[in-house]
Amino acid sequence: MRLAFGTFLGLPDPLKFMGDADYVRTRWLADPSAAFGAEMAGELVGTNFATRWGSVGFFGPLTIHPNLWDRGIAQQLLVPTMELFDAWGIRHAGLFTFASSTKHVRLYQKFGFWPRFLTSLMDLPVGAEPASAFIQFTRFSELSAGEKQISLQACRELTNSIYEGLDVEREIRAVDDQQLGDTVLTWDGATLAGFAVCHVGAGTEAGSEKCYTKFGAVRSGPAAAQEFRSLLDVCRQFALSCEAKTLAAGVNLARLDAYREMLQAGFRTTTQGVAMQRNADPGYNRPDVFLLDDWR
Ligand SMILES: CC(C)(COP(=O)(O)OP(=O)(O)OC[C@H]1O[C@@H](n2cnc3c(N)ncnc32)[C@H](O)[C@@H]1OP(=O)(O)O)[C@@H](O)C(=O)NCCC(=O)NCCS
């Protein structure tokens, strides 16, 4: 995976791509049945990882050994990936890719994915912001088994209100089981107002000195913008408590108000790519949705 991306991006040492952040091990452990390998003469020459968030599915990282590019291997790997989406009953499918690469866009178009909005991968230096009032939040890892069940149900109910069937239990459980970071939950009385699944440090999708909010969302409605601001702040507080120097998160620019809130909070775009969505279905990439994710 590192060799393929590092080569594509022209890094002097391709194997240093993404430093000590890790996507392969964590996604493999989260769901080995959703990992695909391409073999040639007994050697692994490519891999792809599918993710199921209830009715939503995305895939990546998809990588082929650079010596074997343009021989149709990625296309072969995508066939079982699409079959798995069908078996899962995925309604909204997508991926994140390089907006400037005609190769990537053409490859995925063959499978019915169309380029839609830019997706910004953003960073916030956590020490630079003045300390705001502390916002109460719960850490999923500190809950009892029973409370975890109740919280998972509340998270499911919240995401379902944004997009029918959207459910990120897999991410919450992966972070908890593999100790990749934590899921922080914010409350409006007894009602879940928002939550964010955060990876922290080396060996996770964040990497050293970073906290990466892989998924975060607040309940839709008139208070959504305010709740989103609070959630961003809670993520920052959590990152600080983990001694991370940077908070990373991504947003699809179809969620324009969420993007604006992130800019307002001090986030800056480090990389931008494009979300490609099957049949150009908007899914939850709508202006009224305050949600963090980037399918990277
Ligand atoms: C992107 C990647 C997975 C593609 O794998 P691959 O095995 O080379 O892809 P395939 O050969 O199956 O398909 C590539 C298609 O793009 C076409 N293509 C190649 N260069 C192209 C270009 N500059 N413009 C348009 N199409 C191009 C190929 O001709 C082929 O289409 P065809 O079969 O109709 O001829 C591989 O290059 C890789 O690992 N890249 C680095 C990591 C990466 O970017 N991963 C994907 C992140 S979303």
Side-chain angles (χ1 to χ4, degrees):
M1 189 276 277
R2 290 182 204 279
L3 180 67
F5 274 105
T7 303
F8 177 75
L9 294 169
L11 301 189
D13 181 355
L15 289 172
K16 294 230 164 87
F17 173 72
M18 274 188 359
D20 59 11
D22 198 338
Y23 290 40
V24 167
R25 189 177 149 276
T26 52
R27 292 186 190 187
W28 158 258
L29 289 174
D31 187 358
S33 71
F36 296 94
E39 281 181 31
M40 195 181 263
E43 282 206 26
L44 190 68
V45 295
T47 52
N48 193 22
F49 297 84
T51 295
R52 180 189 199 178
W53 287 350
S55 59
V56 174
F58 66 95
F59 65 82
L62 165 66
T63 48
I64 307 300
H65 193 288
N67 293 346
L68 298 166
W69 286 353
D70 294 327
R71 296 196 197 175
I73 299 175
Q75 289 168 69
Q76 286 189 57
L77 265 179
L78 283 171
V79 171
T81 309
M82 296 304 110
E83 287 169 358
L84 185 62
F85 280 177
D86 291 343
W88 282 344
I90 295 300
R91 276 206 304 134
H92 179 60
L95 65 110
F96 170 77
T97 194
F98 299 100
S100 60
S101 170
T102 51
K103 170 175 174 169
H104 288 69
V105 169
R106 171 175 164 162
L107 168 65
Y108 300 128
Q109 264 172 12
K110 288 184 168 197
F111 291 84
F113 294 88
W114 297 93
R116 307 306 290 160
F117 282 81
L118 290 175
T119 293
S120 278
L121 311 189
M122 306 179 88
D123 274 359
L124 174 76
V126 287
E129 292 289 302
S132 52
F134 183 82
I135 298 165
Q136 285 292 329
F137 66 92
T138 312
R139 292 172 191 241
F140 187 83
S141 64
E142 291 174 357
L143 302 176
S144 69
E147 289 167 336
K148 283 183 180 176
Q149 282 302 338
I150 292 166
S151 295
L152 284 169
Q153 180 57 37
C155 291
R156 189 175 305 121
E157 191 252 316
L158 187 152
T159 49
N160 186 62
S161 75
I162 294 171
Y163 182 77
E164 195 182 357
L166 174 63
D167 178 5
V168 297
E169 174 171 352
R170 164 202 151 118
E171 297 304 331
I172 300 171
R173 283 203 187 280
V175 164
D176 202 41
D177 295 346
Q178 299 177 42
Q179 300 185 354
L180 303 173
D182 216 335
T183 297
V184 293
L185 305 117
T186 57
W187 303 90
D188 175 15
T191 308
L192 183 70
F195 69 98
V197 187
C198 301
H199 286 227
V200 184
T204 77
E205 295 188 22
S208 279
E209 301 190 334
K210 275 200 165 191
C211 171
Y212 165 49
T213 299
K214 182 168 182 181
F215 183 93
V218 300
R219 194 173 293 281
S220 292
Q226 178 56 45
E227 293 295 356
F228 188 68
R229 258 168 254 148
S230 299
L231 187 67
L232 292 178
D233 226 27
V234 162
C235 290
R236 198 172 57 80
Q237 284 172 21
F238 173 70
L240 264 175
S241 75
C242 300
E243 295 176 1
K245 294 201 167 82
T246 309
L247 173 63
V251 67
N252 182 299
L253 269 51
R255 300 175 226 138
L256 192 58
D257 285 348
Y259 173 56
R260 287 195 178 115
E261 288 294 343
M262 291 177 76
L263 291 173
Q264 190 65 33
F267 281 87
R268 291 294 170 260
T269 303
T270 55
T271 307
Q272 62 192 11
V274 67
M276 295 185 69
Q277 292 157 220
R278 196 161 62 179
N279 303 325
D281 170 39
Y284 53 86
N285 292 319
R286 306 187 312 259
D288 61 308
V289 170
F290 287 84
L291 186 150
L292 299 167
D293 80 344
D294 51 49
W295 297 342
R296 71 176 74 166

